[in-house]
Amino acid sequence: MAAENTSRASGVSRRRFVGGSLSLGLSAAATGSLSAMASPPSPVPAPAHPSDKKAPLFDPDYARLIGRSDLTYTGRITTGTQGMSVANGRFGGPVWQSNGSTLVMQLNHTDMFMFNDASAASKDHQNSGGGVLGRIHIGFGTGTVFDTTTQQHLSLYDGKLSIAGVGVSADVIADVDSDVVSIQVTDNRATPQPITVDLAMVRDANQIWGAHSAISTLTTVAGTGRPGSRNETIVLEQVVQEPADTGIKVNDHYVNTAVAATVQDREISDVVSGTIGNRATLRMTLPARQGTFTVVVGGNADTRKAVRTAAAAAVTNATKAPGHTCIYARSQAWWRDFWHRSYVYFPTQFNFEQRRNYYMYLAAISNRGSYPSKYNGGIWIGEEDRRDWGSFFWNWNQDCLYQPLLAANHLDLLEPLFTMRQAGFEQYKGAAQQMWGSEGIFIGETAGILGWETLPAGIADPMQQYYTFKTSTRSQEFTDITMRRNKFLSPWNWNVFGGNSQASYVTHTMMATQETAEYYWQVYCYTKDVHWLREVAYPFIKGAAEMYRSYDGLRKESDGKYHVYNTNLHEHIWAGKDVIDDLSMARGVFAAVVKASELLGVDQENRPQWRDIRDNLAAYPLRSDPDALWAASTNPALASQLATDQPAWAQGLRPAYFIRDLHGTESPIFKMLEKYDVLNLETRDQGLDNGDWEIALNTYLHSPGYLNQVKGQVIDRNGSSRFHVDAAKLGRADDMVNILNTQYGVFSTYGVFPNLLFNQLDYYSAEGYGTFAAALQDALHQSLSPTPVGDPVIRVFPAWPTAWDAKYKLLAKDGFLVSSSMVAGDIQYVEIESQLGERARVRNPWDSDVVLYREGRKAETLVAPENGLLEFKTHKGENIVLVRAGTTPDTYRTSELIDTTAATTSPS
């Protein structure tokens, strides 16, 4: 099925992601100068239909496999924060029971935001982030239908929530083809009562904050309902807008949203206005009757300025929706395709498997709109309009959500990130010029949906002088506008402490730009799609490289090396020298831009300088350097157990304007392991590391994460830590036992809700599940290039503890879908589906010769020592199996699964 486009202008994504794992049909959201970039990449020929091929060696019942990770809960879920969520990637939300007789669902939309980057109102409303359209309350009269015996089951395999109360049951599903949620209710009470359906506002009807307004209205539309009813649909519409106080129209904020509700298979006896708490509602009443009916809820979000189409679209979605059975059938088909793209199976580490699968579910229900899922509560937010830390994207936290998606064979779930970036490209160019006087693009570590507020020259010029340290004095105009802006956004972050420092938490942080470019490059590495590289990825890769090249702080010094001044290390070093993150990412982006420009035959005149920077970047700073800034352990007793005379990296050098909290595992000292294939097991094994591998290992062994989580087995209370990912990248299989358990412990540190989200006190989130899933996948499977532009090599179980049996199917670069199995420490086979027909390279997992089977037939014997490099040709759609000499693939053929009732409930 061809991918359908989504448009931010229309407010509704009509895209259906195809079953083929590598098809990444980008939306047509980007307009203007980037319109060509929105063209979908060249389609990848799908492999032969499974019926034409022999079944894979591990061929489980996927419904049972994924069903091991289902969420079940006995009792009443009392708050929205704990509710289990159902959505279609854009529209939906959590479901709970506010009392013993009322079922509630909050309706959220990924494309609804209360503020943009230019908002003056967001300064005073940092915890109001939007995303919320309304709530549905279904009341079952007097008496109790939801109590301690209520059974609640979220089926991940088909995206359905089932709730069984006393005499009443409900199934909740989202339509994958339109913004519709279908709630099918069955009332089998001996004495049924009238049932009410309330559509409720989530804020005051007329909410005014200065120039910012959020106006909500409830209306009834006649003649739209199903036959047999009073033909009425109730509608909640919102118009949120704020003209920019600078008068620059591109900065104006506008969003029009709507929710519409109607009923199938039951008449409506009355529609009246009312309130629930202090929120206005419209209430439909259904006569008392046993049997089944369906509440159908349609939604829409539209960001076209001054165009009010959301209500009509939401009504159409609700009234034209097919029946519950039809919606469920196509939902099942969509989810079946989704789950068959990859899997992990841990017979005894059930909780780890469940967290990974549940995260993939959350990613799926919140990443099909024009904007990516938010770290501080995705579509699962349930606190009305509250969103701690606001409606802005914080790159450090957001990156947690993206990390597992490529290997999980879900490039489709990165589409909203790319859609947002494409739409903001001109703003990112403006940001580089206005903030730094630089070419290329700049994406702030914290940014809203505009990506950058276009500023008057009278503000941008003095801001640039201030942030490039050409002056220590702020102009009055710059100071005044700062006081009208959210201080957590990059341009205004000097005000976080009231202006006591020129530096700031996020202003000089370059990672959002560089990590965005890295995702674009990685998609090319996985798909080899030159169309994607040329039309979509290259402008961002070049833009990121040019940002570094033209940045005032990049300076070639007397040692012949390029040093970087005035950049941040996350929130820990402010405006330091040779921050290790920037040196790592610069190595990657300059290698990528040179290679990409060569492949595309463009920018030949720029390559000499790009190469010069690539080849002459300063070495990473060492802890032995006189001006070193490095991560100290929180446990001195453990730190003293290790020698300190071994070379290890610092995180940066002085001069720095501020140094904060360098002891935590949040300190990102291993970007070279995490991004761009700058340093990895292949770099080491191919002798290309120039001594960096040993230093990386020493740094790891001296790090707070190792001393606390591995040696001390201390639970890391930071959900956004990457330390377990880094340990996997280093191949530390033995360490992963403690690291995965201590990192898993963060999920229950502050209490885990029935929906398995964990409360970080200032927000509840799934960001830690993203990095946890990435760490699991990296321990099972790595697809590594020895350099950012080298030929990739497949490694199976590079960091997986031998005591834990496991099977997996994950995606490798060059389009290889790789499956493997470890039982009792023995790697049984490597199965490869070649989706592009590229040449395959695999590290030999055995200490013997390797027999290669093509389409079930023995084809050749490959000779290499253990960990030696195996290379062989493949054809598109071909299935290849590698086994050690003396065995055959059929030896390992199985579909066996262990029931979760017999699985370990606490990982060890």
Side-chain angles (χ1 to χ4, degrees):
M1 182 183 299
E4 296 182 19
N5 285 334
T6 179
S7 173
R8 187 173 300 179
S10 73
V12 177
S13 171
R14 294 183 174 86
R15 165 176 66 226
R16 293 192 196 108
F17 296 119
V18 301
S21 60
L22 292 180
S23 182
L24 186 70
L26 282 185
S27 73
T31 57
S33 64
L34 278 195
S35 59
M37 295 173 57
S39 301
S42 303
V44 175
H49 190 277
S51 63
D52 301 330
K53 305 171 76 68
K54 203 165 187 178
L57 298 186
F58 180 53
D59 190 25
D61 178 341
Y62 275 78
R64 285 188 57 214
L65 174 62
I66 303 304
R68 286 164 45 90
S69 299
D70 286 356
L71 274 60
T72 58
Y73 185 77
T74 300
R76 184 165 67 91
I77 298 176
T78 58
T79 67
T81 57
Q82 301 180 29
M84 296 182 187
S85 289
V86 174
N88 67 354
R90 300 172 303 274
F91 178 64
V95 179
W96 69 99
Q97 302 83 43
S98 59
N99 55 49
S101 61
T102 305
L103 187 72
V104 184
M105 183 174 191
Q106 180 160 305
L107 285 312
N108 303 318
H109 203 292
T110 59
D111 298 351
M112 159 58 176
F113 291 83
M114 285 293 288
F115 310 113
N116 68 12
D117 306 63
S119 172
S122 70
K123 169 185 178 291
D124 299 313
H125 301 277
Q126 295 166 4
N127 291 337
S128 180
V132 188
L133 275 59
R135 283 182 174 178
I136 286 288
H137 301 251
I138 302 177
F140 293 94
T142 60
T144 298
V145 296
F146 304 117
D147 59 16
T148 57
T149 67
T150 297
Q151 298 296 310
Q152 312 205 37
H153 176 217
L154 178 61
S155 169
L156 303 189
Y157 187 69
D158 52 15
K160 182 178 74 169
L161 174 63
S162 300
I163 302 168
V166 180
V168 169
S169 63
D171 283 347
V172 186
I173 54 175
D175 186 10
V176 294
D177 288 350
S178 64
D179 283 351
V180 166
V181 172
S182 181
I183 308 172
Q184 186 178 76
V185 177
T186 300
D187 188 348
N188 285 330
R189 291 175 290 183
T191 306
Q193 299 184 39
I195 293 174
T196 56
V197 179
D198 285 90
L199 178 56
M201 295 182 184
V202 292
R203 57 184 65 91
D204 293 340
N206 299 294
Q207 182 175 277
I208 309 296
W209 298 327
H212 185 283
S213 62
I215 309 302
S216 303
T217 55
L218 287 161
T219 56
T220 302
V221 180
T224 54
R226 287 275 175 166
S229 74
R230 282 182 42 182
N231 293 327
E232 289 173 303
T233 301
I234 52 178
V235 184
L236 167 59
E237 183 186 16
Q238 300 175 99
V239 177
V240 180
Q241 56 189 327
E242 181 179 2
D245 58 15
T246 60
I248 299 176
K249 291 297 183 182
V250 72
N251 297 330
D252 290 352
H253 180 59
Y254 179 90
V255 60
N256 176 208
T257 74
V259 180
T262 189
V263 176
Q264 295 176 0
D265 305 316
R266 182 70 61 90
E267 67 275 12
I268 299 169
S269 61
D270 197 14
V271 179
V272 296
S273 299
T275 59
I276 294 179
N278 61 349
R279 302 302 188 201
T281 73
L282 270 179
R283 168 173 290 183
M284 298 185 290
T285 300
L286 314 182
R289 196 175 80 195
Q290 287 184 332
T292 298
F293 65 92
T294 303
V295 178
V296 183
V297 186
N300 189 258
D302 190 328
T303 58
R304 289 177 295 177
K305 294 176 182 176
V307 176
R308 291 183 60 168
T309 61
V315 169
T316 298
N317 286 340
T319 59
K320 301 300 183 183
H324 187 85
T325 300
C326 178
I327 291 175
Y328 182 40
R330 63 194 191 191
S331 174
Q332 283 181 301
W334 189 92
W335 282 105
R336 181 181 63 243
D337 288 342
F338 178 87
W339 289 116
H340 282 235
R341 296 190 199 178
S342 66
Y343 63 77
V344 300
Y345 172 51
F346 311 142
T348 58
Q349 306 311 122
F350 158 68
N351 282 13
F352 291 171
E353 179 186 327
Q354 183 185 46
R355 289 303 191 270
R356 183 266 182 189
N357 288 343
Y358 184 50
Y359 176 69
M360 295 308 301
Y361 172 83
L362 293 175
I365 68 170
S366 56
N367 280 292
R368 295 181 70 204
S370 297
Y371 299 93
S373 178
K374 289 282 274 94
Y375 78 95
N376 55 338
I379 209 163
W380 53 85
I381 56 175
E383 298 179 287
E384 290 191 335
D385 211 28
R386 178 186 176 94
R387 193 196 287 268
D388 290 331
W389 297 100
S391 62
F392 306 119
F393 291 94
W394 297 60
N395 181 70
W396 167 264
N397 307 83
Q398 288 293 130
D399 187 62
C400 296
L401 305 179
Y402 312 143
Q403 287 187 19
L405 300 181
L406 287 163
N409 200 16
H410 281 292
L411 284 67
D412 52 303
L413 298 183
L414 285 169
E415 286 198 33
L417 170 64
F418 297 136
T419 299
M420 178 177 72
R421 294 301 191 220
Q422 287 171 232
F425 188 79
E426 291 301 319
Q427 281 70 36
Y428 303 142
K429 287 174 61 179
Q433 194 281 321
Q434 289 195 319
M435 195 161 191
W436 307 114
S438 299
E439 299 178 39
I441 60 172
F442 175 70
I443 305 173
E445 181 70 11
T446 51
I449 59 174
L450 279 177
W452 174 260
E453 175 186 359
T454 302
L455 298 170
I459 293 170
D461 292 346
M463 178 181 67
Q464 183 185 126
Q465 295 291 310
Y466 185 66
Y467 279 136
T468 56
F469 303 106
K470 293 180 173 61
T471 179
S472 60
T473 303
R474 296 183 302 274
S475 73
Q476 191 60 50
E477 193 175 9
F478 172 38
T479 300
D480 289 345
I481 194 173
T482 299
M483 299 308 159
R484 304 194 303 272
R485 295 293 185 269
N486 192 300
K487 63 186 177 183
F488 293 116
L489 288 172
S490 298
W492 325 112
N493 200 223
W494 67 266
N495 190 38
V496 73
F497 289 137
N500 293 328
S501 172
Q502 288 185 349
S504 62
Y505 280 107
V506 298
T507 301
H508 293 81
T509 304
M510 305 297 167
M511 289 302 102
T513 310
Q514 302 307 322
E515 290 181 340
T516 294
E518 199 262 352
Y519 280 112
Y520 278 103
W521 174 247
Q522 290 301 326
V523 167
Y524 168 72
C525 293
Y526 277 83
T527 65
K528 288 302 177 72
D529 192 320
V530 176
H531 176 82
W532 159 268
L533 181 63
R534 183 185 304 278
E535 303 297 336
V536 183
Y538 185 69
F540 284 87
I541 297 167
K542 177 182 176 180
E546 283 291 279
M547 176 62 217
Y548 269 146
R549 181 197 62 78
S550 59
Y551 180 56
D552 181 70
L554 184 72
R555 304 166 190 171
K556 194 170 189 178
E557 299 190 339
S558 59
D559 60 359
K561 300 297 182 183
Y562 287 91
H563 296 263
V564 185
Y565 289 81
N566 300 328
T567 63
N568 282 20
L569 181 105
H570 188 36
E571 298 177 354
H572 304 286
I573 298 174
W574 295 2
K577 176 186 177 183
D578 285 348
V579 164
I580 197 166
D581 277 6
D582 289 286
L583 291 174
S584 300
M585 297 301 280
R587 282 173 165 81
V589 75
F590 283 108
V593 76
V594 169
K595 181 65 173 180
S597 69
E598 291 171 345
L599 288 169
L600 301 175
V602 297
D603 291 322
Q604 183 175 357
E605 68 280 4
N606 293 338
R607 285 183 219 148
Q609 188 168 13
W610 291 339
R611 289 194 188 102
D612 185 50
I613 299 171
R614 178 198 65 187
D615 297 339
N616 293 289
L617 283 163
Y620 301 130
L622 296 172
R623 293 182 182 178
S624 56
D625 291 343
D627 294 320
L629 302 168
W630 65 287
S633 173
T634 56
N635 190 329
L638 290 173
S640 65
Q641 296 175 16
L642 292 173
T644 58
D645 58 350
Q646 298 170 327
W649 287 320
Q651 296 182 80
L653 300 172
R654 294 181 178 84
Y657 283 82
F658 189 77
I659 305 165
R660 167 188 173 265
D661 189 28
L662 291 178
H663 61 261
T665 56
E666 188 181 62
S667 299
I669 54 179
F670 286 122
K671 280 287 190 291
M672 72 290 292
L673 296 174
E674 300 164 12
K675 304 289 184 179
Y676 273 120
D677 285 314
V678 172
L679 180 69
N680 56 43
L681 291 163
E682 276 305 310
T683 315
R684 178 199 68 182
D685 287 349
Q686 295 191 31
L688 300 174
D689 64 292
N690 296 317
D692 279 350
W693 186 263
E694 180 182 357
I695 299 176
L697 191 56
N698 289 339
T699 304
Y700 165 84
L701 294 173
H702 285 75
S703 69
Y706 181 78
L707 297 173
N708 297 331
Q709 288 188 256
V710 181
K711 301 292 285 186
Q713 299 186 44
V714 176
I715 290 175
D716 183 1
R717 294 174 183 268
N718 176 13
S720 63
S721 171
R722 275 79 162 158
F723 186 71
H724 45 331
V725 174
D726 298 331
K729 293 288 192 181
L730 285 164
R732 303 286 295 187
D734 291 341
D735 294 347
M736 292 301 286
V737 176
N738 285 344
I739 291 173
L740 289 174
N741 278 300
T742 55
Q743 193 63 32
Y744 181 89
V746 72
F747 304 145
S748 57
T749 299
Y750 301 120
V752 178
F753 298 149
N755 57 17
L756 288 192
L757 297 174
F758 63 100
N759 184 359
Q760 297 195 177
L761 298 186
D762 52 351
Y763 60 94
Y764 59 104
S765 175
E767 67 183 14
Y769 291 175
T771 50
F772 193 77
L776 290 173
Q777 293 177 169
D778 284 336
L780 294 167
H781 160 94
Q782 293 182 31
S783 176
L784 306 173
S785 301
T787 69
V789 297
D791 293 326
V793 178
I794 296 165
R795 305 175 83 106
V796 299
F797 298 103
W800 191 253
T802 56
W804 297 346
D805 293 353
K807 299 180 189 295
Y808 74 83
K809 178 170 71 175
L810 296 167
L811 186 65
K813 293 173 184 174
D814 285 352
F816 294 114
L817 200 53
V818 180
S819 305
S820 193
S821 171
M822 178 187 283
V823 176
D826 176 51
I827 297 173
Q828 298 182 321
Y829 59 84
V830 180
E831 186 169 16
I832 298 172
E833 181 181 325
S834 176
Q835 299 178 101
L836 301 176
E838 295 287 319
R839 187 172 183 83
R841 300 165 189 86
V842 182
R843 285 286 164 188
N844 186 358
W846 301 292
D847 58 354
S848 70
D849 295 346
V850 176
V851 182
L852 184 149
Y853 287 73
R854 296 180 185 271
E855 300 297 352
R857 296 179 178 88
K858 185 176 179 179
E860 57 195 286
T861 297
L862 306 175
V863 179
E866 186 173 10
N867 202 46
L869 191 60
L870 308 170
E871 292 192 55
F872 47 92
K873 293 180 179 179
T874 73
H875 301 285
K876 288 182 181 180
E878 186 178 27
N879 179 271
I880 294 169
V881 177
L882 306 178
V883 292
R884 64 158 55 89
T887 66
T888 67
D890 286 340
T891 305
Y892 306 115
R893 194 172 297 280
T894 183
S895 59
E896 181 181 358
L897 288 170
I898 294 177
D899 291 334
T900 54
T901 54
T904 303
T905 57
S906 177
S908 59

